[in-house]
């Protein structure tokens, strides 16, 4: 039996296809057991396992469909069809396989199952970027709780989320899943999400640990990062969330950091994660991540998902030859047993396959509205009573984008388009425009299908890749001046949606950052004609990442960034346009004027072939920004760069308007024990209800000479819904230790003594109050690990 299993594991590595497409598993049945509290006698289990059993147990069960019918080991392929993987079952010992499924915008499993008329749709919640843009940790926790209920009721045990890599560059293809360019926003949002999901007694997997900041060649690229940037930026968000919310699992990333695969790095996975941060859960690889199984075990990466034959061989051989202590393997086996023990499946939870999808649709609708960012508003929004008839432009208005592609996608039952959202909100939309667009979109889709079919004849793999990679959206339909004039004569307002889609495996191109010619013309022409007719124009952004705005933002009367707002998107947008809800989202990243203004753009894979990863076949090359990337901007990411080097931006970090206005007053600071408490009173001084986000930055003494950013976010808070004239006093706390910067020479977090400024802001460039307080010198030594092996020309102030 053991031998058969091994053969099948070896068979798995033959084909290298993207796995998430290949999870269409047939349903055999659902496991359910009595709901009892059960513990696992780890000693006993361990005593019964051979070396081979242990090696199987730590490498998962393979991936259904990954290499043909023969590829899947064990009987677990059909527990929850469409889930990304499972742990390895030890049936004779009563240890079930527990189910691991993506995340993060909802649970990703198959919606339908062969021979089963029931459906298993999951709620498509807003993308991570939108959730973070709410700056409302309570709300993020509620969303997490709703997602966790679907995880539990559909029989999964661990959600492979949240994804919290830093948005190092605007073009990273997976930025839509991520939260921010700032580690405090990323860490706090992740902590809230994890708390929410895990309230259901299911697990999470915070990912991708760490520095997975580009998709190009993601399985082989080496991130060259200074120890300081690692500690202050790329690890910090993980540190915050892991210490605060204790995710059941951590997923290591694909990339190398300073020459070592993260999953093979003892410094990262044991020294920092466990010894320094006290993490006690299970660590797993990203799917097929890393190479050397024995090294991964030695490093403390407990579980290798979904398992590769060479990893099995490497572990067994290394133990036999004494290179890997069996005790190291046992320790990982035990950590996986811990995970199994706390899983709903082991605890015999009887899942219903009937989560409350209706309630969750309401959760996604309101949470999405709260993360939308009002970028400009010249008395165009909210729509007044006179607005009844809306002229709807832009293909995406009719074909709304709920989220990004890849493992972060969700198999949703429906997506409310902007067209439907407007109708649901009681607005009239021109039927003529609707028909024109529907025909145009259908023709574009047919042309695309034809193109793919032609491609498939020549290169099957290229066609398959093209079919699931984020597609190019059709060029915008343009109208003649006469057509526009006629449309404007019957409409009360024009709404133009600009869409963008991105996803896993592929970084965005520069052309995707900029508006294309048809989009520029559409905005220009609609604005010209409607303004002449005395009508206003609103631009809506249905996007997953930052785009260029500086060249066109003067044209429309209002701009609303709706992000990719999940399956209720159209309804959420209309809740904001109509004024039912006042927008209160703020940007968690900077919007540069030009893409090249971000310093990291000098060291980022620009416009590379998407197949470079597969073409490389795991070989480490030496092409700059593909095989390795020098993080020369050091800690100067996002606003830390733009604000410290006075580089103009289109929209600053932390920016977002409201339908109302807020006045900040009575800002005070108090020093308590080892912390600073800053309080400020926020008053709604406008005519609408609304919520306000208050951001607290610190500015270190002599920051320029000390090569520190002019300001760094340390805390934030959001008011409750304030009626006109109402006030709320918010209190924000910063621990004295959080004033520290990382000193590489001392290998320590160091707080320099002196006077710190505490800046209370409505954005990073809209500081409303400046307070000061003294700090005493402090130093906390940590391990001198993860040192770059190369010299870099690091940016300094
Ligand atoms: C992604 C992970 C995901 C995993 C399982 C990988 O390609 O990077 O984020 O959780 O697949 O689907």
């Amino acid at each position: 039996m053991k031998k058969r299993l091994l053969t099948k594991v070896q068979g798995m590595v033959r084909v290298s296809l993207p796995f998430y497409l290949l999870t269409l598993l047939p349903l055999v049945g659902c496991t359910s057991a009595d709901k009892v509290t059960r513990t696992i006698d780890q000693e006993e289990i361990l005593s019964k396992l051979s070396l081979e059993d242990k090696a199987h147990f730590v490498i998962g069960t393979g991936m259904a469909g990954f290499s043909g019918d023969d590829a899947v080991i064990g009987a677990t392929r059909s527990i929850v069809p469409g889930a990304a993987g499972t742990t390895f079952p030890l049936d004779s010992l009563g240890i079930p396989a527990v189910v691991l499924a993506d995340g993060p915008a909802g649970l990703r499993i198959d919606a339908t199952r062969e021979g089963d008329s029931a459906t298993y749709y999951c709620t498509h919640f807003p993308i991570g970027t939108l959730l973070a843009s709410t700056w409302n940790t309570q709300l993020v926790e509620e969303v997490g709780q709703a997602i966790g209920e679907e995880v539990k009721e559909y029989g999964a045990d661990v959600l492979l989320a949240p994804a919290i890599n830093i948005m190092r560059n605007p073009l990273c293809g997976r930025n839509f899943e991520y939260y921010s360019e700032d580690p405090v926003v990323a860490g706090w949002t992740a902590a809230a999400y994890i708390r929410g999901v895990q309230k259901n007694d299911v697990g999470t997997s915070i990912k991708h640990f760490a520095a997975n900041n580009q998709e190009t060649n993601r399985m082989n690229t080496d991130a060259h990062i200074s120890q300081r940037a690692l500690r202050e930026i790329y690890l910090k968000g993980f540190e915050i969330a892991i210490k605060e919310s204790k995710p059941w699992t951590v997923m290591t990333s694909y990339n190398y950091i300073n020459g070592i695969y993260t999953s093979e790095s003892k410094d990262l996975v044991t020294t920092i994660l466990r010894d320094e941060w006290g993490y006690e859960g299970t660590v797993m690889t990203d799917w097929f991540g890393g190479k050397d199984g024995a090294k991964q075990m030695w490093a403390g990466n407990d579980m290798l998902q979904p398992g590769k034959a060479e990893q099995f061989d490497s572990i067994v051989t290394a133990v036999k030859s004494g290179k890997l202590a069996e005790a190291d393997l046992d320790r990982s086996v035990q950590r996986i047993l811990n995970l199994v023990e706390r899983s709903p499946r082991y605890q015999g939870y009887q899942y219903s396959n009937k989560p409350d999808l209706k309630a969750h649709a309401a959760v996604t609708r309101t949470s999405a509205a709260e993360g939308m960012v009002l970028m400009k508003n010249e008395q165009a929004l909210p729509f007044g009573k006179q607005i009844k008839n809306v002229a709807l432009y832009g293909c995406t208005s009719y074909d709304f984008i709920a989220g990004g592609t890849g493992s972060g996608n969700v198999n949703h039952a429906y997506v409310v388009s902007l067209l439907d959202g407007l109708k649901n909100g009681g607005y009239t939309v021109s039927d003529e425009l609707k028909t024109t667009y529907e025909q145009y979109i259908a023709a574009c889709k047919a042309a695309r299908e034809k193109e793919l079919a032609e491609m498939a004849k020549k290169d099957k793999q290229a066609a398959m890749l093209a079919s699931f990679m984020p597609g190019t959206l059709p060029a915008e339909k343009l109208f003649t001046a006469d057509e526009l004039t006629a449309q404007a004569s019957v409409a009360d307002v024009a709404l133009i949606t600009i869409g963008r889609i991105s996803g896993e495996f592929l970084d965005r191109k520069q052309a995707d950052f900029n508006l294309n010619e048809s989009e520029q013309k559409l905005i220009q022409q609609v604005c010209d004609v409607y303004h002449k007719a005395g009508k206003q124009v609103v631009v809506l952004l249905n996007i997953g990442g930052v785009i260029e705005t500086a060249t066109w933002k003067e044209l429309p009367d209002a701009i609303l960034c709706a992000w990719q707002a999940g399956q209720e998107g159209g309804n959420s947008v209309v809740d904001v346009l109509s004024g039912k809800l006042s927008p209160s989202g703020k940007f968690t990243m900077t919007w540069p004027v030009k893409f090249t203004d971000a310093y990291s753009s000098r060291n980022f894979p620009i416009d590379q072939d998407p197949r470079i990863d597969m073409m490389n076949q795991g070989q480490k090359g030496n092409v700059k920004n593909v095989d390795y990337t020098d993080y020369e901007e050091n800690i100067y990411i996002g606003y830390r760069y733009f604000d410290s080097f006075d580089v103009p931006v289109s929209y600053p970090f932390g920016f977002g308007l409201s339908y109302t206005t807020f006045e900040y007053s009575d800002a005070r600071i108090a020093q308590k024990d080892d912390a600073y408490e800053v309080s400020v009173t926020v008053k709604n001084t406008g005519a609408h209800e609304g919520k306000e986000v208050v951001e607290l930055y610190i500015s270190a003494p002599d920051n320029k000479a000390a090569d520190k950013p002019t300001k760094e976010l340390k805390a934030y808070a959001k008011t409750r819904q304030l009626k006109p004239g109402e006030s709320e006093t918010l209190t924000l706390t910063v621990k004295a230790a959080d004033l520290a910067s990382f000193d590489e020479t001392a290998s320590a977090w160091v707080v320099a003594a002196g006077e710190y400024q505490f800046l209370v802001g409505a954005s990073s460039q809209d500081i409303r109050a400046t307070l000061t307080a003294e700090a005493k010198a402090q130093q906390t030594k940590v391990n001198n690990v993860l040192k770059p092996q190369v010299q870099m020309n690091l940016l300094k102030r």
Side-chain angles (χ1 to χ4, degrees):
M1 178 63 183
K2 255 174 223 150
K3 191 149 183 293
R4 238 188 93 217
L5 289 180
L6 177 56
T7 316
K8 288 189 178 179
V9 176
Q10 283 167 333
M12 272 178 44
V13 289
R14 288 196 301 261
V15 183
S16 60
L17 297 178
F19 58 84
Y20 74 84
L21 273 188
L22 306 163
T23 50
L24 303 161
L25 317 182
L27 173 78
V28 168
C30 298
T31 54
S32 64
D34 292 338
K35 193 171 163 62
V36 283
T37 305
R38 302 169 65 202
T39 53
I40 295 179
D41 185 340
Q42 298 198 351
E43 291 302 312
E44 200 200 327
I45 301 274
L46 265 177
S47 71
K48 290 184 176 159
L49 296 179
S50 67
L51 170 60
E52 286 78 9
D53 291 332
K54 291 175 191 170
H56 277 307
F57 190 61
V58 297
I59 69 165
T61 50
M63 185 107 212
F66 194 79
S67 57
D69 290 345
D70 216 18
V72 184
I73 327 148
T76 57
R77 60 186 291 171
S78 47
I79 301 176
V80 179
T86 68
T87 60
F88 193 87
L90 301 169
D91 292 331
S92 60
L93 299 173
I95 302 298
V98 304
V99 175
L100 318 168
D102 286 300
L107 177 68
R108 187 176 61 86
I109 57 171
D110 290 344
T112 53
R113 298 174 182 179
E114 225 175 278
D116 181 353
S117 59
T119 56
Y120 301 83
Y121 288 110
C122 297
T123 307
H124 202 145
F125 291 87
I127 57 169
T129 305
L130 184 151
L131 284 184
S133 307
T134 66
W135 300 67
N136 183 339
T137 48
Q138 175 62 37
L139 180 131
V140 174
E141 189 172 328
E142 281 160 24
V143 172
Q145 195 169 350
I147 296 175
E149 203 234 339
E150 296 192 17
V151 173
K152 191 165 184 179
E153 292 309 327
Y154 276 136
D157 299 282
V158 177
L159 181 76
L160 303 173
I164 78 154
N165 295 99
I166 291 294
M167 294 173 177
R168 171 174 177 257
N169 187 273
L171 296 192
C172 172
R174 287 183 91 172
N175 276 351
F176 74 96
E177 291 181 66
Y178 303 152
Y179 293 138
S180 180
E181 67 188 21
D182 180 87
V184 171
V185 179
W188 286 23
T189 309
Y193 182 100
I194 294 165
R195 268 199 308 275
V197 174
Q198 293 192 173
K199 268 188 181 170
N200 295 279
D201 298 321
V202 294
T204 54
S205 192
I206 192 170
K207 65 190 188 184
H208 310 87
F209 188 56
N212 184 172
N213 306 112
Q214 67 188 55
E215 286 301 284
T216 306
N217 198 22
R218 64 179 183 160
M219 295 184 100
N220 301 298
T221 194
D222 189 357
H224 296 162
I225 315 180
S226 74
Q227 288 171 302
R228 180 178 175 201
L230 271 169
R231 293 283 185 168
E232 290 185 18
I233 309 287
Y234 296 100
L235 299 181
K236 194 67 188 175
F238 285 97
E239 181 179 359
I240 293 170
I242 286 168
K243 283 183 175 168
E244 203 179 306
S245 290
K246 303 186 174 43
W248 287 16
T249 76
V250 170
M251 186 191 291
T252 45
S253 56
Y254 284 126
N255 51 287
Y256 298 81
I257 293 180
N258 296 331
I260 301 178
Y261 270 128
T262 57
S263 58
E264 297 175 8
S265 168
K266 192 170 200 157
D267 289 344
L268 182 69
V269 174
T270 296
T271 310
I272 292 182
L273 178 65
R274 297 187 190 279
D275 300 347
E276 290 184 9
W277 300 350
Y279 181 64
E280 289 178 345
T282 314
V283 177
M284 69 174 93
T285 59
D286 197 347
W287 267 230
F288 301 103
K291 272 194 188 140
D292 183 337
K295 208 165 167 203
Q296 289 171 312
M297 281 302 114
W298 164 83
N301 192 124
D302 309 306
M303 187 158 64
L304 316 182
Q305 280 294 345
K308 298 196 246 184
E310 66 254 34
Q311 289 167 329
F312 178 91
D313 294 341
S314 136
I315 293 169
V316 171
T317 314
V319 173
K320 283 186 178 159
S321 69
K323 272 197 187 149
L324 175 69
E326 192 157 355
D328 284 349
L329 184 58
D330 288 355
R331 181 199 53 196
S332 288
V333 168
Q334 284 178 295
R335 290 198 193 121
I336 301 172
L337 286 173
N338 285 338
L339 173 67
V340 173
E341 188 182 68
R342 66 206 303 206
S343 69
R345 181 153 277 98
Y346 187 73
Q347 291 305 326
Y349 182 70
Q350 309 258 357
Y351 55 95
S352 64
N353 275 328
K354 287 193 172 46
D356 193 345
L357 297 178
K358 209 165 162 213
H360 298 170
V363 173
T364 183
R365 179 170 177 166
T366 34
S367 60
E370 182 148 345
M372 293 181 184
V373 182
L374 184 62
M375 302 163 72
K376 173 178 181 179
N377 189 16
E378 285 173 359
Q379 285 155 17
L381 294 175
F383 288 159
K385 287 213 170 62
Q386 77 287 2
I387 304 286
K388 293 191 177 75
N389 202 339
V390 182
L392 200 49
Y393 297 94
C395 295
T396 320
S397 295
Y398 298 85
D399 203 4
F400 227 46
I401 303 164
T405 60
S407 61
N409 191 15
V410 177
N411 295 316
H412 47 242
Y414 62 87
V415 178
V416 178
S417 69
L418 185 53
L419 174 77
D420 294 336
L422 284 165
K423 285 185 181 162
N424 296 342
Y427 296 94
T428 316
V429 181
S430 152
D431 274 341
E432 199 188 312
L433 265 177
K434 173 178 172 278
T435 312
T436 309
Y437 267 104
E438 283 175 353
Q439 285 169 355
Y440 179 74
I441 293 167
C444 292
K445 282 190 175 164
R448 176 71 177 153
E449 291 297 315
K450 205 170 152 205
E451 196 187 322
L452 287 175
E454 290 297 315
M455 199 188 283
K457 283 187 206 152
K458 292 184 201 131
D459 182 346
K460 234 176 168 178
Q461 196 200 30
M464 216 219 25
L465 276 169
S467 68
F468 72 80
M469 292 240 179
T472 331
L473 295 168
E476 282 304 341
K477 161 132 198 68
L478 296 173
F479 298 87
T480 64
D482 286 348
E483 285 169 332
L484 285 171
T485 309
Q487 289 152 8
S489 70
V490 290
D492 300 317
V493 69
L495 200 51
I496 308 172
T497 305
I498 299 295
R500 286 289 180 277
I501 179 89
S502 61
E504 195 176 347
F505 303 107
L506 189 64
D507 289 312
R508 294 170 59 207
K509 310 250 181 216
Q510 280 189 90
D512 197 69
F513 176 81
N514 295 321
L515 293 202
N516 65 37
E517 211 185 318
S518 67
E519 291 166 331
Q520 288 167 14
K521 278 195 179 147
L522 181 70
I523 295 178
Q524 180 76 59
Q525 291 170 353
V526 170
C527 288
D528 281 353
V529 172
Y530 276 76
H531 286 163
K532 262 188 214 131
K535 314 263 166 90
Q536 291 183 306
V537 180
V538 177
V539 170
L540 190 82
L541 304 180
N542 182 198
I543 57 179
V546 172
I547 62 168
E548 189 276 323
T549 47
T551 59
W552 59 268
K553 66 182 177 184
E554 295 310 323
L555 299 174
D557 305 280
I559 310 174
L560 177 70
C561 178
W563 296 120
Q564 291 163 347
Q567 68 184 39
E568 287 284 327
N571 284 336
S572 308
V573 169
V574 175
D575 286 345
V576 173
L577 298 179
S578 66
K580 188 173 158 201
L581 297 169
S582 180
S584 61
K586 291 193 177 183
F587 287 134
T588 60
M589 77 300 286
T590 310
W591 288 51
V593 173
K594 298 194 296 298
F595 157 72
T596 44
D597 288 348
Y599 199 87
S600 62
S601 296
R602 293 158 204 232
N603 291 286
F604 190 81
I606 298 173
D607 298 351
Q608 293 289 343
D609 187 319
R611 287 184 292 166
I612 208 146
D613 197 350
M614 290 173 195
M615 291 185 311
N616 259 1
Q617 296 293 349
Q619 294 314 309
K620 206 163 186 298
N622 59 3
V623 181
K624 190 169 193 274
N625 298 332
V626 171
D627 297 307
Y628 69 93
T629 300
D630 290 337
Y631 285 40
E632 285 179 327
E633 70 283 355
N634 202 17
I635 54 151
Y636 296 106
I637 310 295
Y639 71 91
R640 284 172 167 76
Y641 169 68
F642 290 102
D643 290 5
S644 305
F645 291 84
D646 291 323
V647 179
V649 302
S650 191
Y651 292 97
F653 173 85
F655 172 87
L657 302 171
S658 165
Y659 292 154
T660 189
T661 47
F662 298 98
E663 189 185 272
Y664 292 32
S665 66
D666 213 14
R668 292 161 198 255
I669 187 159
Q671 225 160 320
K672 290 203 175 142
D673 303 327
D674 286 338
Y676 301 87
E677 269 186 14
V678 171
S679 60
V680 63
T681 301
V682 178
K683 182 174 182 190
N684 182 346
T685 49
H688 290 267
E689 291 193 2
K691 298 181 185 176
E692 171 70 337
V693 175
V694 173
E695 302 156 33
L696 179 61
Y697 300 84
I698 63 114
S699 190
D702 301 324
N703 53 65
K704 188 161 184 189
D707 194 23
K708 294 181 189 178
T710 48
K711 60 174 94 73
E712 292 186 88
L713 187 81
K714 292 294 167 187
Y716 58 88
K718 193 166 192 173
T719 66
R720 61 172 195 275
Q721 180 87 349
L722 295 177
K723 295 205 167 71
E726 254 186 355
S727 304
E728 182 178 349
T729 300
L730 297 174
T731 304
L732 301 96
T733 306
V734 180
K735 289 194 210 108
D738 290 342
L739 301 179
S741 301
F742 191 75
D743 180 332
E744 291 180 356
T745 320
S747 196
W749 287 102
V750 176
V751 178
E755 190 180 84
Y756 283 72
Q757 290 190 330
F758 289 75
L759 313 167
V760 181
S763 87
S764 66
Q765 297 192 359
D766 181 7
I767 301 303
R768 304 287 181 89
T770 301
L771 307 160
T772 53
E774 288 289 325
K776 289 198 203 99
Q778 256 193 48
Q779 189 171 16
T780 311
K781 282 253 179 213
V782 294
N783 295 287
N784 183 7
V785 290
L786 300 179
K787 235 189 167 122
Q789 307 298 306
V790 293
Q791 280 286 328
M792 282 183 282
N793 191 11
L794 296 182
L795 179 64
K796 277 194 173 51
R797 280 192 75 190

